[in-house]
Amino acid sequence: MTICHTTDTTFTNDLKSEGLTLVNFWATWCAPCRFFGTVLEAFDREHNSDVRILKVNVDEEANTAAQFGVMSIPTTILLKNGEPVEKIVGAIPVEELKKFIDGHKN
């Protein structure tokens, strides 16, 4: 799978109803968001069959950000079977992201 840039209109359809979906809320002006974007790309190259990754630009897609109560960026929410299970606020290295996701695979 590739990283999918989703919108308020397409979010529900882009969301993976079964399995794990990682939703990253970001903005172009946010330096930690840009750093974490490279982490997500590296993770996707190795684990693209395990987890669907959606990116939501909070400046353009405010409704989806509000729906999840996003107050700071980057915020990344892990959903399992379409339901939120855990949230990360801030940028983390790829190793921590792997541990974060591995804890929810079963």
Side-chain angles (χ1 to χ4, degrees):
M1 268 179 237
T2 59
I3 296 173
C4 175
H5 292 266
T6 188
T7 67
D8 289 342
T9 306
T10 63
F11 181 79
T12 302
N13 289 334
D14 291 336
L15 185 63
K16 189 175 175 182
S17 61
E18 291 187 18
L20 297 175
T21 303
L22 199 65
V23 182
N24 174 245
F25 295 89
W26 68 288
T28 56
W29 49 265
C30 169
C33 297
R34 290 192 304 270
F35 164 76
F36 194 58
T38 62
V39 170
L40 290 172
E41 290 167 5
F43 178 84
D44 186 57
R45 281 192 296 276
E46 293 182 34
H47 303 279
N48 62 8
S49 63
D50 298 340
V51 181
R52 176 156 175 84
I53 299 174
L54 302 178
K55 290 185 66 88
V56 179
N57 183 324
V58 298
D59 289 335
E60 297 171 359
E61 313 304 335
N63 291 338
T64 303
Q67 173 186 344
F68 286 94
V70 173
M71 301 299 285
S72 299
I73 54 172
T75 291
T76 305
I77 300 174
L78 183 65
L79 294 97
K80 187 171 188 175
N81 302 326
E83 296 297 322
V85 292
E86 196 165 351
K87 173 170 48 173
I88 299 170
V89 177
I92 60 173
V94 71
E95 297 80 22
E96 285 185 45
L97 181 60
K98 287 177 189 176
K99 289 178 190 173
F100 173 75
I101 292 170
D102 286 344
H104 296 283
K105 282 191 175 176
N106 297 329

